[in-house]
Amino acid sequence: METDTLAWDVDLVHDMFNERDANLILSISLSSSRLCDDDNSVFWNTLWKLSVPPKVKDLLWRATTNCLPTKSRLRSRHMPVKTICPVSKVTDETIYHCLVDWSFAKACWQQLAAGVNLTAVCSFANWFATILQQADGEKRRLIAMTCWEIWKHRNELVWSDKSPTVASVAHLAQALLADWTRAQDSTFNPTIAFLTDELQLIALQG
């Protein structure tokens, strides 16, 4: 994104995303995707400085800029799909609904017990901005990873008919964050027990 001109960096978007997602992102007006407060630079700086995998930052960026391909977002881009949530089947699938307000997502946040506010807000962007203001560094990281796991499990349920569990989301969010953190430590020397745990984690993901 070119912040001075509020225009997409087309080449960069195509480099980062597949053709379908790139076209969807480029069709979105940036003027409608900005946060509504005056602290945008603080928000974005905090988001990009989160010590989490790049793919998680990318997901959060797409969610806060209203670029995740939920049913409601696809319909707004004139795609012939029903807006109803394919999982809950009771309300439209917005990004906020998918990552926060869906009953399964709520259960995940309650399991996390990180003091996550689940009261209604106008958008995922505002909800996440509040999270960044209220949570400390470690909670921010775990909340970011939980968003990643909820979205991943939603896709597995929709496209592969795999039934997620709250326990698996909570476990994978914490385990993947711990693994990524260790991978950034050049002094870390894995033990046999650690490698055994890694094999179990891979089996769980499969």
Short mmCIF file of all heavy atoms in Angstrom, two decimals, residues 23-84:
data_model
loop_
_atom_site.label_atom_id
_atom_site.label_comp_id
_atom_site.label_asym_id
_atom_site.label_seq_id
_atom_site.Cartn_x
_atom_site.Cartn_y
_atom_site.Cartn_z
N ASN A 23 -6.82 -9.87 -6.93
CA ASN A 23 -7.87 -9.13 -7.64
C ASN A 23 -8.92 -8.61 -6.68
O ASN A 23 -9.44 -7.50 -6.84
CB ASN A 23 -8.52 -10.02 -8.70
CG ASN A 23 -7.59 -10.30 -9.87
OD1 ASN A 23 -6.67 -9.52 -10.13
ND2 ASN A 23 -7.79 -11.40 -10.56
N LEU A 24 -9.24 -9.41 -5.66
CA LEU A 24 -10.21 -8.98 -4.66
C LEU A 24 -9.69 -7.78 -3.87
O LEU A 24 -10.40 -6.79 -3.67
CB LEU A 24 -10.53 -10.13 -3.70
CG LEU A 24 -11.50 -9.82 -2.55
CD1 LEU A 24 -12.85 -9.40 -3.11
CD2 LEU A 24 -11.65 -11.02 -1.65
N ILE A 25 -8.43 -7.84 -3.46
CA ILE A 25 -7.83 -6.75 -2.69
C ILE A 25 -7.78 -5.47 -3.51
O ILE A 25 -8.14 -4.39 -3.04
CB ILE A 25 -6.42 -7.15 -2.22
CG1 ILE A 25 -6.51 -8.25 -1.15
CG2 ILE A 25 -5.66 -5.94 -1.67
CD1 ILE A 25 -5.18 -8.89 -0.83
N LEU A 26 -7.34 -5.59 -4.76
CA LEU A 26 -7.19 -4.40 -5.60
C LEU A 26 -8.52 -3.75 -5.95
O LEU A 26 -8.57 -2.57 -6.34
CB LEU A 26 -6.45 -4.78 -6.89
CG LEU A 26 -4.98 -5.19 -6.70
CD1 LEU A 26 -4.40 -5.72 -8.00
CD2 LEU A 26 -4.14 -4.03 -6.17
N SER A 27 -9.61 -4.51 -5.80
CA SER A 27 -10.93 -3.94 -6.11
C SER A 27 -11.50 -3.14 -4.95
O SER A 27 -12.53 -2.49 -5.08
CB SER A 27 -11.91 -5.07 -6.48
OG SER A 27 -12.20 -5.86 -5.34
N ILE A 28 -10.82 -3.17 -3.80
CA ILE A 28 -11.31 -2.49 -2.60
C ILE A 28 -10.76 -1.08 -2.52
O ILE A 28 -9.56 -0.86 -2.68
CB ILE A 28 -10.91 -3.28 -1.34
CG1 ILE A 28 -11.58 -4.66 -1.35
CG2 ILE A 28 -11.28 -2.51 -0.08
CD1 ILE A 28 -11.09 -5.57 -0.26
N SER A 29 -11.63 -0.14 -2.27
CA SER A 29 -11.21 1.25 -2.11
C SER A 29 -10.55 1.43 -0.75
O SER A 29 -11.13 1.10 0.28
CB SER A 29 -12.43 2.19 -2.21
OG SER A 29 -12.08 3.50 -1.83
N LEU A 30 -9.34 1.96 -0.74
CA LEU A 30 -8.62 2.13 0.52
C LEU A 30 -9.28 3.16 1.43
O LEU A 30 -9.17 3.07 2.64
CB LEU A 30 -7.18 2.54 0.24
CG LEU A 30 -6.25 1.41 -0.24
CD1 LEU A 30 -4.90 1.99 -0.62
CD2 LEU A 30 -6.09 0.36 0.84
N SER A 31 -9.96 4.09 0.86
CA SER A 31 -10.58 5.12 1.69
C SER A 31 -11.63 4.54 2.61
O SER A 31 -11.93 5.09 3.66
CB SER A 31 -11.23 6.19 0.80
OG SER A 31 -12.24 5.61 -0.01
N SER A 32 -12.21 3.37 2.25
CA SER A 32 -13.25 2.78 3.08
C SER A 32 -12.69 1.74 4.03
O SER A 32 -13.41 1.17 4.83
CB SER A 32 -14.32 2.12 2.21
OG SER A 32 -13.75 1.05 1.47
N SER A 33 -11.39 1.44 3.91
CA SER A 33 -10.82 0.37 4.73
C SER A 33 -9.98 0.88 5.88
O SER A 33 -9.44 0.10 6.64
CB SER A 33 -9.96 -0.54 3.85
OG SER A 33 -8.82 0.13 3.40
N ARG A 34 -9.87 2.21 6.03
CA ARG A 34 -9.02 2.76 7.08
C ARG A 34 -9.74 2.75 8.41
O ARG A 34 -10.96 2.84 8.49
CB ARG A 34 -8.62 4.19 6.73
CG ARG A 34 -7.93 4.31 5.39
CD ARG A 34 -7.57 5.74 5.08
NE ARG A 34 -6.47 6.20 5.90
CZ ARG A 34 -6.10 7.46 5.97
NH1 ARG A 34 -6.74 8.38 5.29
NH2 ARG A 34 -5.07 7.81 6.72
N LEU A 35 -9.01 2.65 9.51
CA LEU A 35 -9.60 2.72 10.83
C LEU A 35 -10.19 4.10 11.06
O LEU A 35 -9.71 5.10 10.51
CB LEU A 35 -8.54 2.42 11.89
CG LEU A 35 -7.98 0.99 11.88
CD1 LEU A 35 -6.86 0.89 12.90
CD2 LEU A 35 -9.05 -0.02 12.16
N CYS A 36 -11.22 4.15 11.89
CA CYS A 36 -11.95 5.40 12.02
C CYS A 36 -11.36 6.34 13.07
O CYS A 36 -11.87 7.43 13.28
CB CYS A 36 -13.43 5.11 12.35
SG CYS A 36 -13.68 4.04 13.77
N ASP A 37 -10.31 5.97 13.80
CA ASP A 37 -9.74 6.88 14.79
C ASP A 37 -8.55 7.63 14.21
O ASP A 37 -8.19 7.45 13.05
CB ASP A 37 -9.35 6.11 16.06
CG ASP A 37 -8.36 5.00 15.77
OD1 ASP A 37 -7.34 5.25 15.10
OD2 ASP A 37 -8.61 3.87 16.20
N ASP A 38 -7.93 8.45 15.06
CA ASP A 38 -6.83 9.29 14.61
C ASP A 38 -5.46 8.68 14.90
O ASP A 38 -4.44 9.34 14.74
CB ASP A 38 -6.92 10.67 15.29
CG ASP A 38 -8.15 11.43 14.85
OD1 ASP A 38 -8.56 11.26 13.69
OD2 ASP A 38 -8.70 12.17 15.68
N ASP A 39 -5.45 7.43 15.33
CA ASP A 39 -4.19 6.80 15.73
C ASP A 39 -3.79 5.67 14.79
O ASP A 39 -3.25 4.65 15.20
CB ASP A 39 -4.30 6.26 17.16
CG ASP A 39 -4.56 7.37 18.16
OD1 ASP A 39 -3.95 8.44 18.00
OD2 ASP A 39 -5.36 7.16 19.07
N ASN A 40 -4.06 5.87 13.49
CA ASN A 40 -3.76 4.81 12.52
C ASN A 40 -2.30 4.42 12.53
O ASN A 40 -1.96 3.24 12.47
CB ASN A 40 -4.15 5.27 11.11
CG ASN A 40 -5.66 5.34 10.93
OD1 ASN A 40 -6.40 4.76 11.71
ND2 ASN A 40 -6.09 6.05 9.92
N SER A 41 -1.41 5.40 12.59
CA SER A 41 0.01 5.08 12.53
C SER A 41 0.44 4.27 13.73
O SER A 41 1.25 3.34 13.61
CB SER A 41 0.84 6.37 12.43
OG SER A 41 0.62 7.19 13.57
N VAL A 42 -0.11 4.58 14.91
CA VAL A 42 0.20 3.80 16.11
C VAL A 42 -0.30 2.37 15.95
O VAL A 42 0.40 1.40 16.28
CB VAL A 42 -0.42 4.45 17.36
CG1 VAL A 42 -0.21 3.56 18.59
CG2 VAL A 42 0.18 5.83 17.59
N PHE A 43 -1.52 2.25 15.45
CA PHE A 43 -2.11 0.92 15.25
C PHE A 43 -1.26 0.08 14.31
O PHE A 43 -0.89 -1.06 14.62
CB PHE A 43 -3.53 1.05 14.69
CG PHE A 43 -4.13 -0.26 14.27
CD1 PHE A 43 -4.75 -1.08 15.20
CD2 PHE A 43 -4.07 -0.68 12.95
CE1 PHE A 43 -5.30 -2.30 14.82
CE2 PHE A 43 -4.61 -1.89 12.56
CZ PHE A 43 -5.23 -2.71 13.50
N TRP A 44 -0.94 0.63 13.14
CA TRP A 44 -0.19 -0.15 12.15
C TRP A 44 1.22 -0.46 12.63
O TRP A 44 1.73 -1.57 12.41
CB TRP A 44 -0.14 0.59 10.82
CG TRP A 44 -1.48 0.66 10.14
CD1 TRP A 44 -2.19 1.77 9.83
CD2 TRP A 44 -2.28 -0.46 9.73
NE1 TRP A 44 -3.37 1.44 9.25
CE2 TRP A 44 -3.47 0.07 9.16
CE3 TRP A 44 -2.12 -1.84 9.78
CZ2 TRP A 44 -4.48 -0.73 8.66
CZ3 TRP A 44 -3.14 -2.65 9.27
CH2 TRP A 44 -4.29 -2.09 8.73
N ASN A 45 1.86 0.48 13.31
CA ASN A 45 3.20 0.21 13.84
C ASN A 45 3.16 -0.92 14.86
O ASN A 45 4.05 -1.79 14.88
CB ASN A 45 3.77 1.48 14.50
CG ASN A 45 4.24 2.50 13.48
OD1 ASN A 45 4.54 2.16 12.34
ND2 ASN A 45 4.28 3.76 13.88
N THR A 46 2.13 -0.91 15.70
CA THR A 46 2.00 -1.97 16.71
C THR A 46 1.74 -3.31 16.04
O THR A 46 2.32 -4.34 16.43
CB THR A 46 0.86 -1.65 17.68
OG1 THR A 46 1.08 -0.37 18.28
CG2 THR A 46 0.77 -2.69 18.79
N LEU A 47 0.88 -3.32 15.03
CA LEU A 47 0.58 -4.56 14.32
C LEU A 47 1.81 -5.13 13.65
O LEU A 47 2.15 -6.32 13.83
CB LEU A 47 -0.52 -4.31 13.27
CG LEU A 47 -0.81 -5.46 12.30
CD1 LEU A 47 -1.23 -6.73 13.06
CD2 LEU A 47 -1.89 -5.07 11.30
N TRP A 48 2.53 -4.32 12.90
CA TRP A 48 3.68 -4.84 12.16
C TRP A 48 4.85 -5.22 13.06
O TRP A 48 5.71 -6.01 12.66
CB TRP A 48 4.15 -3.82 11.12
CG TRP A 48 3.15 -3.57 10.03
CD1 TRP A 48 2.63 -2.38 9.65
CD2 TRP A 48 2.54 -4.56 9.17
NE1 TRP A 48 1.72 -2.55 8.62
CE2 TRP A 48 1.65 -3.88 8.31
CE3 TRP A 48 2.64 -5.95 9.06
CZ2 TRP A 48 0.88 -4.53 7.35
CZ3 TRP A 48 1.87 -6.61 8.10
CH2 TRP A 48 1.01 -5.90 7.26
N LYS A 49 4.87 -4.70 14.28
CA LYS A 49 5.94 -5.04 15.21
C LYS A 49 5.62 -6.27 16.07
O LYS A 49 6.45 -6.69 16.87
CB LYS A 49 6.26 -3.85 16.11
CG LYS A 49 6.96 -2.71 15.39
CD LYS A 49 7.24 -1.54 16.32
CE LYS A 49 7.94 -0.40 15.57
NZ LYS A 49 8.19 0.76 16.47
N LEU A 50 4.42 -6.83 15.92
CA LEU A 50 4.08 -8.02 16.68
C LEU A 50 5.08 -9.14 16.36
O LEU A 50 5.39 -9.39 15.20
CB LEU A 50 2.67 -8.51 16.33
CG LEU A 50 1.48 -7.76 16.93
CD1 LEU A 50 0.18 -8.33 16.39
CD2 LEU A 50 1.50 -7.84 18.45
N SER A 51 5.55 -9.80 17.40
CA SER A 51 6.52 -10.89 17.21
C SER A 51 5.76 -12.19 16.95
O SER A 51 5.66 -13.06 17.82
CB SER A 51 7.41 -11.01 18.45
OG SER A 51 8.41 -11.99 18.24
N VAL A 52 5.22 -12.29 15.74
CA VAL A 52 4.47 -13.47 15.29
C VAL A 52 4.88 -13.76 13.85
O VAL A 52 5.48 -12.91 13.18
CB VAL A 52 2.94 -13.23 15.37
CG1 VAL A 52 2.49 -13.04 16.81
CG2 VAL A 52 2.53 -12.04 14.52
N PRO A 53 4.56 -14.95 13.34
CA PRO A 53 4.94 -15.27 11.95
C PRO A 53 4.36 -14.27 10.96
O PRO A 53 3.25 -13.75 11.16
CB PRO A 53 4.33 -16.67 11.75
CG PRO A 53 4.26 -17.26 13.12
CD PRO A 53 3.95 -16.11 14.02
N PRO A 54 5.07 -13.99 9.86
CA PRO A 54 4.58 -13.05 8.84
C PRO A 54 3.19 -13.41 8.31
O PRO A 54 2.39 -12.52 8.02
CB PRO A 54 5.64 -13.16 7.73
CG PRO A 54 6.89 -13.53 8.47
CD PRO A 54 6.44 -14.45 9.57
N LYS A 55 2.88 -14.70 8.19
CA LYS A 55 1.56 -15.10 7.67
C LYS A 55 0.44 -14.65 8.60
O LYS A 55 -0.68 -14.38 8.15
CB LYS A 55 1.50 -16.61 7.46
CG LYS A 55 1.62 -17.45 8.73
CD LYS A 55 1.62 -18.94 8.43
CE LYS A 55 1.71 -19.79 9.71
NZ LYS A 55 1.75 -21.24 9.40
N VAL A 56 0.74 -14.56 9.89
CA VAL A 56 -0.26 -14.12 10.85
C VAL A 56 -0.47 -12.62 10.73
O VAL A 56 -1.61 -12.13 10.76
CB VAL A 56 0.16 -14.51 12.28
CG1 VAL A 56 -0.85 -13.98 13.30
CG2 VAL A 56 0.29 -16.03 12.40
N LYS A 57 0.61 -11.87 10.57
CA LYS A 57 0.48 -10.43 10.35
C LYS A 57 -0.31 -10.15 9.07
O LYS A 57 -1.13 -9.23 9.02
CB LYS A 57 1.87 -9.78 10.25
CG LYS A 57 2.68 -9.81 11.52
CD LYS A 57 4.02 -9.14 11.31
CE LYS A 57 4.93 -9.27 12.51
NZ LYS A 57 6.24 -8.62 12.29
N ASP A 58 -0.05 -10.96 8.05
CA ASP A 58 -0.76 -10.80 6.78
C ASP A 58 -2.26 -11.03 6.97
O ASP A 58 -3.09 -10.27 6.46
CB ASP A 58 -0.21 -11.79 5.75
CG ASP A 58 -1.01 -11.79 4.47
OD1 ASP A 58 -0.98 -10.78 3.75
OD2 ASP A 58 -1.69 -12.80 4.18
N LEU A 59 -2.62 -12.06 7.73
CA LEU A 59 -4.04 -12.32 8.00
C LEU A 59 -4.67 -11.15 8.73
O LEU A 59 -5.76 -10.69 8.37
CB LEU A 59 -4.18 -13.59 8.85
CG LEU A 59 -5.60 -13.83 9.39
CD1 LEU A 59 -6.50 -14.38 8.29
CD2 LEU A 59 -5.60 -14.76 10.59
N LEU A 60 -4.00 -10.64 9.76
CA LEU A 60 -4.54 -9.53 10.54
C LEU A 60 -4.66 -8.27 9.68
O LEU A 60 -5.62 -7.51 9.83
CB LEU A 60 -3.66 -9.28 11.76
CG LEU A 60 -3.64 -10.42 12.79
CD1 LEU A 60 -2.57 -10.14 13.84
CD2 LEU A 60 -5.00 -10.58 13.43
N TRP A 61 -3.69 -8.06 8.82
CA TRP A 61 -3.77 -6.91 7.91
C TRP A 61 -4.98 -7.04 6.99
O TRP A 61 -5.75 -6.09 6.80
CB TRP A 61 -2.48 -6.81 7.09
CG TRP A 61 -2.57 -5.79 6.00
CD1 TRP A 61 -2.58 -4.43 6.14
CD2 TRP A 61 -2.72 -6.04 4.60
NE1 TRP A 61 -2.70 -3.82 4.92
CE2 TRP A 61 -2.79 -4.79 3.95
CE3 TRP A 61 -2.77 -7.21 3.83
CZ2 TRP A 61 -2.93 -4.68 2.57
CZ3 TRP A 61 -2.91 -7.09 2.46
CH2 TRP A 61 -2.98 -5.83 1.85
N ARG A 62 -5.17 -8.21 6.42
CA ARG A 62 -6.32 -8.42 5.53
C ARG A 62 -7.64 -8.31 6.29
O ARG A 62 -8.63 -7.79 5.75
CB ARG A 62 -6.21 -9.78 4.85
CG ARG A 62 -5.08 -9.85 3.84
CD ARG A 62 -5.29 -10.98 2.84
NE ARG A 62 -5.03 -12.28 3.44
CZ ARG A 62 -5.40 -13.43 2.90
NH1 ARG A 62 -6.09 -13.44 1.78
NH2 ARG A 62 -5.11 -14.58 3.47
N ALA A 63 -7.66 -8.79 7.53
CA ALA A 63 -8.90 -8.71 8.32
C ALA A 63 -9.23 -7.26 8.68
O ALA A 63 -10.38 -6.84 8.56
CB ALA A 63 -8.77 -9.55 9.59
N THR A 64 -8.23 -6.49 9.10
CA THR A 64 -8.49 -5.11 9.50
C THR A 64 -8.77 -4.20 8.32
O THR A 64 -9.42 -3.16 8.48
CB THR A 64 -7.30 -4.54 10.31
OG1 THR A 64 -6.09 -4.71 9.57
CG2 THR A 64 -7.17 -5.24 11.64
N THR A 65 -8.33 -4.57 7.14
CA THR A 65 -8.63 -3.76 5.95
C THR A 65 -9.80 -4.33 5.15
O THR A 65 -10.03 -3.95 4.00
CB THR A 65 -7.39 -3.65 5.03
OG1 THR A 65 -6.91 -4.96 4.72
CG2 THR A 65 -6.29 -2.85 5.69
N ASN A 66 -10.51 -5.27 5.76
CA ASN A 66 -11.73 -5.82 5.16
C ASN A 66 -11.46 -6.55 3.85
O ASN A 66 -12.21 -6.43 2.88
CB ASN A 66 -12.77 -4.72 4.94
CG ASN A 66 -14.18 -5.27 4.85
OD1 ASN A 66 -14.47 -6.35 5.37
ND2 ASN A 66 -15.06 -4.55 4.17
N CYS A 67 -10.36 -7.31 3.84
CA CYS A 67 -9.98 -8.02 2.62
C CYS A 67 -10.12 -9.54 2.72
O CYS A 67 -9.87 -10.23 1.74
CB CYS A 67 -8.53 -7.70 2.24
SG CYS A 67 -8.26 -6.00 1.72
N LEU A 68 -10.48 -10.06 3.87
CA LEU A 68 -10.65 -11.51 3.97
C LEU A 68 -11.87 -11.94 3.15
O LEU A 68 -12.92 -11.30 3.22
CB LEU A 68 -10.83 -11.95 5.42
CG LEU A 68 -9.60 -12.07 6.30
CD1 LEU A 68 -9.98 -12.68 7.65
CD2 LEU A 68 -8.51 -12.91 5.65
N PRO A 69 -11.75 -13.04 2.42
CA PRO A 69 -12.86 -13.45 1.53
C PRO A 69 -13.97 -14.19 2.27
O PRO A 69 -14.24 -15.37 2.04
CB PRO A 69 -12.15 -14.37 0.52
CG PRO A 69 -11.01 -14.97 1.29
CD PRO A 69 -10.54 -13.87 2.20
N THR A 70 -14.63 -13.49 3.20
CA THR A 70 -15.82 -14.05 3.83
C THR A 70 -16.98 -13.96 2.83
O THR A 70 -16.89 -13.30 1.79
CB THR A 70 -16.19 -13.26 5.09
OG1 THR A 70 -16.44 -11.90 4.73
CG2 THR A 70 -15.07 -13.31 6.11
N LYS A 71 -18.09 -14.62 3.16
CA LYS A 71 -19.23 -14.63 2.25
C LYS A 71 -19.77 -13.22 2.00
O LYS A 71 -20.08 -12.86 0.86
CB LYS A 71 -20.34 -15.52 2.82
CG LYS A 71 -19.97 -16.99 2.96
CD LYS A 71 -19.72 -17.64 1.61
CE LYS A 71 -19.45 -19.13 1.75
NZ LYS A 71 -19.25 -19.80 0.44
N SER A 72 -19.86 -12.42 3.05
CA SER A 72 -20.36 -11.05 2.87
C SER A 72 -19.44 -10.23 2.00
O SER A 72 -19.89 -9.44 1.16
CB SER A 72 -20.53 -10.38 4.24
OG SER A 72 -21.57 -10.96 4.97
N ARG A 73 -18.14 -10.41 2.18
CA ARG A 73 -17.18 -9.62 1.39
C ARG A 73 -17.22 -10.04 -0.07
O ARG A 73 -17.16 -9.19 -0.98
CB ARG A 73 -15.76 -9.81 1.96
CG ARG A 73 -14.75 -8.84 1.38
CD ARG A 73 -15.16 -7.42 1.66
NE ARG A 73 -14.36 -6.45 0.93
CZ ARG A 73 -14.84 -5.31 0.44
NH1 ARG A 73 -16.11 -5.01 0.60
NH2 ARG A 73 -14.05 -4.47 -0.19
N LEU A 74 -17.32 -11.34 -0.31
CA LEU A 74 -17.40 -11.81 -1.69
C LEU A 74 -18.66 -11.29 -2.37
O LEU A 74 -18.63 -10.89 -3.53
CB LEU A 74 -17.37 -13.34 -1.72
CG LEU A 74 -16.05 -14.00 -1.28
CD1 LEU A 74 -16.22 -15.51 -1.21
CD2 LEU A 74 -14.90 -13.64 -2.22
N ARG A 75 -19.78 -11.30 -1.64
CA ARG A 75 -21.04 -10.81 -2.21
C ARG A 75 -20.94 -9.32 -2.54
O ARG A 75 -21.47 -8.86 -3.56
CB ARG A 75 -22.18 -11.07 -1.23
CG ARG A 75 -23.56 -10.67 -1.76
CD ARG A 75 -23.96 -11.47 -2.99
NE ARG A 75 -25.28 -11.14 -3.44
CZ ARG A 75 -26.39 -11.76 -2.99
NH1 ARG A 75 -26.28 -12.73 -2.08
NH2 ARG A 75 -27.58 -11.41 -3.43
N SER A 76 -20.25 -8.55 -1.68
CA SER A 76 -20.10 -7.11 -1.93
C SER A 76 -19.27 -6.84 -3.17
O SER A 76 -19.33 -5.74 -3.74
CB SER A 76 -19.45 -6.43 -0.71
OG SER A 76 -18.07 -6.74 -0.62
N ARG A 77 -18.48 -7.85 -3.60
CA ARG A 77 -17.70 -7.72 -4.84
C ARG A 77 -18.44 -8.36 -6.01
O ARG A 77 -17.87 -8.69 -7.02
CB ARG A 77 -16.32 -8.36 -4.68
CG ARG A 77 -15.48 -7.84 -3.52
CD ARG A 77 -15.51 -6.34 -3.37
NE ARG A 77 -15.14 -5.61 -4.57
CZ ARG A 77 -15.35 -4.32 -4.76
NH1 ARG A 77 -15.93 -3.61 -3.82
NH2 ARG A 77 -14.97 -3.75 -5.87
N HIS A 78 -19.75 -8.52 -5.83
CA HIS A 78 -20.65 -8.98 -6.90
C HIS A 78 -20.42 -10.44 -7.29
O HIS A 78 -20.71 -10.83 -8.42
CB HIS A 78 -20.52 -8.08 -8.15
CG HIS A 78 -20.62 -6.62 -7.84
ND1 HIS A 78 -21.78 -6.04 -7.37
CD2 HIS A 78 -19.70 -5.62 -7.90
CE1 HIS A 78 -21.58 -4.74 -7.15
NE2 HIS A 78 -20.31 -4.46 -7.46
N MET A 79 -19.94 -11.23 -6.34
CA MET A 79 -19.82 -12.65 -6.59
C MET A 79 -21.12 -13.34 -6.18
O MET A 79 -21.72 -13.00 -5.15
CB MET A 79 -18.64 -13.24 -5.82
CG MET A 79 -17.31 -12.69 -6.28
SD MET A 79 -15.89 -13.50 -5.48
CE MET A 79 -14.54 -12.61 -6.24
N PRO A 80 -21.58 -14.30 -6.98
CA PRO A 80 -22.89 -14.92 -6.75
C PRO A 80 -22.87 -15.95 -5.62
O PRO A 80 -23.02 -17.15 -5.83
CB PRO A 80 -23.19 -15.58 -8.10
CG PRO A 80 -21.84 -15.93 -8.64
CD PRO A 80 -20.93 -14.81 -8.21
N VAL A 81 -22.69 -15.47 -4.40
CA VAL A 81 -22.69 -16.37 -3.24
C VAL A 81 -23.68 -15.86 -2.21
O VAL A 81 -24.01 -14.66 -2.17
CB VAL A 81 -21.29 -16.45 -2.60
CG1 VAL A 81 -20.28 -17.05 -3.57
CG2 VAL A 81 -20.82 -15.08 -2.11
N LYS A 82 -24.18 -16.75 -1.37
CA LYS A 82 -25.05 -16.36 -0.28
C LYS A 82 -24.20 -15.81 0.86
O LYS A 82 -23.12 -16.30 1.13
CB LYS A 82 -25.86 -17.57 0.21
CG LYS A 82 -26.84 -18.10 -0.82
CD LYS A 82 -27.62 -19.29 -0.26
CE LYS A 82 -28.63 -19.80 -1.29
NZ LYS A 82 -29.39 -20.97 -0.79
N THR A 83 -24.71 -14.78 1.51
CA THR A 83 -23.92 -14.12 2.56
C THR A 83 -24.01 -14.84 3.90
O THR A 83 -23.23 -14.55 4.80
CB THR A 83 -24.38 -12.67 2.76
OG1 THR A 83 -25.78 -12.67 3.13
CG2 THR A 83 -24.20 -11.87 1.49
N ILE A 84 -24.93 -15.78 4.04
CA ILE A 84 -25.11 -16.46 5.32
C ILE A 84 -23.86 -17.24 5.70
O ILE A 84 -23.17 -17.79 4.83
CB ILE A 84 -26.33 -17.41 5.26
CG1 ILE A 84 -26.81 -17.75 6.67
CG2 ILE A 84 -26.01 -18.66 4.47
CD1 ILE A 84 -27.57 -16.66 7.33
#
